[in-house]
Amino acid sequence: MPRLNDEVKALLQEYADLISITGGDAFRARAYEKAARAVGGHPEDVARLDVKALQGIPGVGKSTAEKIGEYLRTGRIEALEQQRAKIPSGVREVMGIPTVGPKKAMALYRDLGIGSVDELAEAARAGRLGEVAGFGERSAERILQGIELRRQAGGRTGIDVATALAEEIVAALSAVPGCIRCAYAGSLRRMRETVGDIDVLATAEDSAPLMAAFTALPYVAEVVVSGPTKTSVRTAEGLQVDLRVVPPEDWGAALVYFTGSKAHNIRLRRMAVEAGLKLSEYGLFRAGPGGDKLVSASEEEVYAALGLPWIAPPLREDTGEIEAGLRGELPRLVTERDLRGDLHTHTDLTDGLASLEEMLAAAAARGYAYYAVTDHAPDLVMQRMTDEKMLAQRALVRELDGRYRRMRVLHGTELNIGPDGDVDWPGEFLAGFDVCVASIHSHFGLDRAAQTRRLVRACENPHVQVIGHPTTRLIGRRAPIDVDLDEVFRACARTGTAMEINGAPRRLDLRDEHVRRARSLGVRFAIDSDAHSTRELANPRYGIGTAQRGGLTPEDVINTWTWQRLKRFLRKNPPH
């Protein structure tokens, strides 16, 4: 079951937002925002902590710890309920629309009486938003885009939440006596960034014990349908999970079928028909009445009987994988085991939650050969970075280099790409860093030409080796910037600048279709965590999924390379 930490994080963030929207103390609101991030990133489940232990989480003070303790005891936070009572629920929904936020939501309510998302959309279409201070010419367009983005995301669950739940379900069912095999399938196995539901597949001679154990799981809120071969439940968060139990001899065919995608399966069935066969979730049969079953026990057998090698699930989208398989040209996809390091991480020097030493210890425990700390640069004013702070951190990095299981420690920074493509520090200061990640953190509404120009200029900077979260999107919360990505990709290939696949589940930026296009234009990639806590150092598993969907091999990813080879790349030599 997903940890309670994420639930508490959301409540504390809501409390911080409500303090802001009601005109409360800004410092207090920021303190609760920091506490929310700290709880979300804390490696231990808060459900097992008392108030005193909760105060041991950096950023969680006594008052916050008491509120968390109150929620653990009673399921509610009275102070939060009081704040909620001050604001109509529709206004809270409005402030969740991308580009709005707490202050603008309150201004819309105060000046135009907008108390729901539908009313906001109506006002935007009618051109009324200009009557409110802070809303410019393009505000209506962006808000309508944000509403559509939120509606598209409705009912879908992020890959991290779905994976945590699916893995727990698979572990629980695998321990049931009589269970022979169990795995999750569907879009989650294909590593889609969000899922509509979770498909779990199991084999057993008798399905009854598995079905009983499934419906008795503690996070099941409703049994939608129950039967001997399929049972569907819904969790308290509204996510549907389907369990199918098949005979052991049909495991392979069922796993192919229920993994999908639909388009991939249609192609496989068409190939079967052309060969005089019939493919279903029960196996591959000879066509015609009473046709013999040929294979069904393993995926490898099913694909081989169709003249194909086994195709990795992230590729099963009918985007050329079947043709590549027929030609014998399927890539050896990059895996998490191939990663030798992480090139984009943060500490509590800026907006991270853990100290440099804590992050290094956690990274070394992952077996990394090298690791870069890339705290924010000074143009992100809220992080209060100075030259002196950065140089002091550099001295500490040099001191700690090699002390954690001989892991090389790189001193880097995440620079801010300004609206004209400039970055925070002059070249002579940037020359002292081992690696510079440059990212857009503001001016998201610039036009296509301006966004393209600023990213190309950043690529051309001789001190920038990686472009971080290139389209700036936040899944379900912020649309990507309008940019000519092909032009940026060509600049990356020309200048020897890597494109990041940001593994943070809320970003997963670049997307898989962009990865395929960039690779075709000669771009190299870095699969990074963008970790702000030790727990988030596991984020690359999701970036790996995106990379696999984009067809990347270890050769394409610079942080699978040896340190000596990576070091040459960081000197900004264009790839050959």
Side-chain angles (χ1 to χ4, degrees):
M1 184 178 179
R3 300 182 320 150
L4 189 66
N5 296 46
D6 297 324
E7 194 174 326
V8 173
K9 174 185 176 181
L11 292 170
L12 293 177
Q13 182 60 56
E14 182 185 0
Y15 189 53
D17 289 341
L18 290 174
I19 291 172
S20 295
I21 204 171
T22 55
D25 181 66
F27 177 80
R28 186 162 169 256
R30 284 196 298 271
Y32 278 103
E33 286 178 359
K34 183 176 181 180
R37 291 191 299 107
V39 170
H42 191 62
E44 190 173 355
D45 194 332
V46 295
R48 294 193 285 266
L49 303 180
D50 59 19
V51 170
K52 185 176 180 180
L54 287 166
Q55 291 181 67
I57 302 174
V60 175
K62 182 181 178 182
S63 178
T64 306
E66 288 173 347
K67 288 180 175 64
I68 298 172
E70 178 188 357
Y71 182 71
L72 297 179
R73 291 191 315 274
T74 69
R76 56 182 278 135
I77 300 174
E78 181 59 32
L80 175 58
E81 296 300 330
Q82 291 175 3
Q83 288 287 348
R84 284 173 171 170
K86 298 177 182 179
I87 301 295
S89 60
V91 176
R92 298 203 301 272
E93 293 175 8
V94 166
M95 76 183 190
I97 297 298
T99 76
V100 180
K103 292 182 180 178
K104 287 185 176 180
M106 197 59 187
L108 289 166
Y109 179 68
R110 183 186 62 241
D111 296 350
L112 297 180
I114 291 174
S116 72
V117 173
D118 288 342
E119 290 174 356
L120 175 62
E122 183 181 344
R125 294 190 192 98
R128 296 175 56 211
L129 300 187
E131 302 171 23
V132 181
F135 288 84
E137 294 181 5
R138 297 188 60 195
S139 293
E141 177 187 345
R142 292 173 190 157
I143 283 173
L144 289 172
Q145 289 174 349
I147 291 171
E148 180 60 25
L149 190 69
R150 178 57 59 92
R151 285 175 176 162
Q152 289 174 0
R156 297 192 66 81
T157 299
I159 188 174
D160 55 332
V161 174
T163 299
L165 179 59
E167 289 179 343
E168 185 158 342
I169 290 171
V170 167
L173 297 181
S174 297
V176 174
C179 179
I180 299 171
R181 302 185 72 169
C182 186
Y184 58 82
S187 56
L188 184 59
R189 188 173 181 231
R190 301 197 315 274
M191 297 298 289
R192 292 288 299 269
E193 60 196 31
T194 63
V195 302
D197 55 23
I198 295 174
D199 295 289
V200 178
L201 193 66
T203 63
E205 299 293 348
D206 179 8
S207 66
L210 280 173
M211 297 305 190
F214 180 53
T215 56
L217 291 171
Y219 30 86
V220 170
E222 176 189 1
V223 178
V224 179
V225 62
S226 179
T229 60
K230 177 184 176 182
T231 294
S232 298
V233 302
R234 191 168 285 114
T235 68
E237 289 73 31
L239 179 60
Q240 182 165 315
V241 185
D242 299 329
L243 170 64
R244 293 174 175 87
V245 181
V246 301
E249 61 270 18
D250 292 344
W251 170 260
L255 192 56
V256 170
Y257 182 84
F258 290 112
T259 294
S261 65
K262 181 179 179 180
H264 179 84
N265 285 352
I266 288 172
R267 291 291 305 278
L268 294 182
R269 290 199 297 272
R270 189 179 303 153
M271 293 177 68
V273 170
E274 291 169 354
L277 305 172
K278 177 184 176 183
L279 178 64
S280 73
E281 64 265 43
Y282 305 108
L284 185 66
F285 301 83
R286 296 189 193 280
D292 297 334
K293 181 187 289 186
L294 301 178
V295 293
S296 65
S298 73
E299 285 193 316
E300 288 79 3
E301 289 177 351
V302 173
Y303 279 103
L306 294 172
L308 288 166
W310 179 80
I311 297 176
L315 293 177
R316 299 182 195 177
E317 299 287 354
D318 192 23
T319 54
E321 72 278 6
I322 289 176
E323 290 79 3
L326 291 171
R327 295 193 305 267
E329 295 177 359
L330 284 172
R332 201 288 263 176
L333 296 179
V334 64
T335 70
E336 194 172 3
R337 291 188 299 275
D338 293 316
L339 294 182
R340 296 173 185 257
D342 194 335
L343 300 178
H344 182 178
T345 69
H346 299 272
T347 75
D348 60 2
L349 184 63
T350 52
D351 60 345
L353 302 173
S355 68
L356 174 61
E357 292 86 347
E358 289 169 328
M359 295 296 283
L360 293 181
R366 296 180 62 82
Y368 285 156
Y370 46 81
Y371 175 86
V373 53
T374 55
D375 276 314
H376 289 288
D379 284 357
L380 205 61
V381 178
M382 67 193 74
Q383 305 305 335
R384 300 179 181 177
M385 177 55 70
T386 65
D387 295 9
E388 293 74 22
K389 286 182 180 179
M390 191 56 86
L391 291 173
Q393 185 186 65
R394 182 175 301 165
L396 181 57
V397 164
R398 302 298 182 233
E399 179 184 334
L400 296 175
D401 183 26
R403 290 195 183 182
Y404 291 82
R405 300 188 182 183
R406 308 178 73 86
M407 180 178 70
R408 296 302 309 265
V409 185
L410 313 183
H411 190 236
T413 184
E414 184 181 12
L415 300 167
N416 305 286
I417 303 174
D420 57 359
D422 288 340
V423 295
D424 306 66
W425 278 298
E428 56 268 25
F429 195 89
L430 295 177
F433 290 103
D434 300 312
V435 58
C436 292
V437 178
S439 309
I440 290 175
H441 294 105
S442 64
H443 298 87
F444 304 118
L446 294 179
D447 63 36
R448 185 179 183 84
Q451 297 287 22
T452 303
R453 189 164 51 247
R454 74 194 292 203
L455 280 169
V456 168
R457 282 202 64 198
C459 294
E460 293 171 345
N461 189 311
H463 302 289
V464 171
Q465 295 97 346
V466 180
I467 301 295
H469 45 78
T471 75
T472 79
R473 69 143 181 187
L474 296 175
I475 297 172
R477 293 176 51 200
R478 184 168 71 214
I481 57 173
D482 185 12
V483 61
D484 183 344
L485 283 173
D486 274 11
E487 186 66 24
V488 177
F489 295 156
R490 283 189 283 267
C492 281
R494 183 179 74 250
T495 61
T497 307
M499 276 271 139
E500 181 179 70
I501 300 174
N502 189 294
R506 67 194 182 111
R507 290 190 183 275
L508 293 179
D509 183 12
L510 293 170
R511 297 185 62 169
D512 52 0
E513 62 264 36
H514 299 149
V515 169
R516 284 192 293 273
R517 181 62 180 159
R519 184 176 187 264
S520 74
L521 293 173
V523 174
R524 302 292 197 187
F525 302 85
I527 301 174
D528 296 324
S529 68
D530 195 0
H532 289 66
S533 68
T534 56
R535 182 169 173 255
E536 291 177 354
L537 287 172
N539 283 348
R541 70 177 298 187
Y542 308 116
I544 285 286
T546 297
Q548 290 180 338
R549 289 174 60 79
L552 296 192
T553 71
E555 176 65 19
D556 299 313
V557 180
I558 64 172
N559 51 320
T560 70
W561 297 353
T562 64
W563 164 238
Q564 290 301 321
R565 185 182 180 191
L566 175 65
K567 186 163 59 173
R568 291 194 295 272
F569 180 87
L570 295 179
R571 295 184 188 130
K572 204 65 184 286
N573 295 319
H576 300 291

